[in-house]
């Protein structure tokens, strides 16, 4: 389920894109937007916060909200706290598969994926592209290495070539193997020459690496992804609450 503030943000983004609110203009005050969308001012404020993080608007106290760009300028920003919100990422981006091969985990790959040395995998390389704009305008948001259990890859077949959807959703639909938990490991890194070329970025520029292990109820892991996001194209936000607060 998409949060109400995200629906408002998307609606405003569309109205910015179609020039209902052109670059340089002011958005209506929060109270007017709240009335128009039948939501609270807090919901409008959250929607505007999202657009500001994307670089589409700027906000100044006593001046208001100014439209700065018809498209996101700071990459993809999302708060991810549940698997459902992780799935939402796949609806707002498209997948482009670059290649596929079979590999056997050496010491380095086993340490990265959290598996035993010598385990076989089917390795897919892909890019995630923003849905905004035509294919010629789309800048890659991230590069992802997908590692699948060979038996799972055999059942899934060429469905990985689809441009939409989350890989994990396809795996579940094809095999019936359900993910109950996604373990994530996040660290800073720099772009190697091959990743920089694929992502249209500078060699050695800062990036964020996210390793996700998709854990089934049995404890088995049939899928691991390693995504690398250039620093200017992704913002990862997690909210924390004090226990018992």
């Amino acid at each position: 389920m998409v949060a109400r503030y995200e629906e408002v943000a998307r609606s405003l983004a569309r109205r910015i894109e179609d020039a209902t609110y052109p670059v340089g203009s002011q958005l209506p005050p929060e109270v007017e937007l709240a009335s128009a969308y039948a939501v609270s001012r807090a919901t409008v404020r959250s929607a505007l916060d999202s657009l500001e993080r994307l670089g589409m608007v700027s906000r100044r106290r006593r001046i208001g909200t100014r439209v700065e760009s018809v498209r996101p300028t700071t990459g993809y920003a999302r708060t991810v706290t549940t698997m459902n919100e992780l799935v939402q990422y796949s609806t707002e981006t498209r997948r482009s598969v670059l290649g596929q091969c079979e590999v056997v985990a050496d010491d380095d790959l086993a340490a990265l994926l959290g598996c035993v040395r010598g385990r076989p995998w089917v390795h897919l390389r892909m890019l995630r592209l923003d849905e905004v704009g035509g294919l010629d305008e789309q800048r890659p948001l991230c590069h992802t290495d997908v590692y699948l259990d060979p038996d799972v890859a055999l059942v899934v077949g060429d469905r990985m070539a689809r441009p939409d959807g989350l890989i994990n959703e396809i795996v579940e639909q094809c095999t019936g193997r359900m993910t109950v938990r996604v373990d994530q490991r996040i660290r800073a890194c720099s772009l190697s020459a091959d990743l920089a070329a694929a992502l249209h970025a500078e060699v050695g520029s800062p990036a964020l690496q996210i390793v996700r292990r998709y854990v089934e109820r049995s404890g088995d892991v049939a899928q691991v992804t390693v995504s690398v996001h250039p620093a200017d194209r992704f913002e990862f936000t997690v909210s924390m609450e004090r226990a018992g607060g």
Side-chain angles (χ1 to χ4, degrees), residues 57-73:
V57 303
S58 62
R59 305 171 72 192
R60 299 289 185 275
R61 180 172 295 185
R62 292 190 293 274
I63 294 178
T65 303
R66 182 179 187 273
V67 178
E68 302 290 349
S69 174
V70 296
R71 294 191 179 93
T73 61

Side-chain angles (χ1 to χ4, degrees), residues 152-172:
V152 169
L154 182 64
V155 174
V156 170
D158 60 3
R159 291 193 64 185
M160 293 298 181
R162 281 174 29 185
D164 60 330
L166 200 66
I167 293 294
N168 186 60
E169 285 186 317
I170 297 174
V171 169
E172 291 184 339

Side-chain angles (χ1 to χ4, degrees), residues 127-175:
L127 296 174
R128 276 284 179 186
L129 306 171
D130 197 334
E131 284 284 15
V132 176
L135 292 177
D136 294 336
E137 304 175 28
Q138 290 177 341
R139 182 175 62 165
L141 293 174
C142 76
H143 177 280
T144 299
D145 290 299
V146 179
Y147 296 89
L148 292 176
D149 181 279
D151 291 338
V152 169
L154 182 64
V155 174
V156 170
D158 60 3
R159 291 193 64 185
M160 293 298 181
R162 281 174 29 185
D164 60 330
L166 200 66
I167 293 294
N168 186 60
E169 285 186 317
I170 297 174
V171 169
E172 291 184 339
Q173 291 166 4
C174 291
T175 68

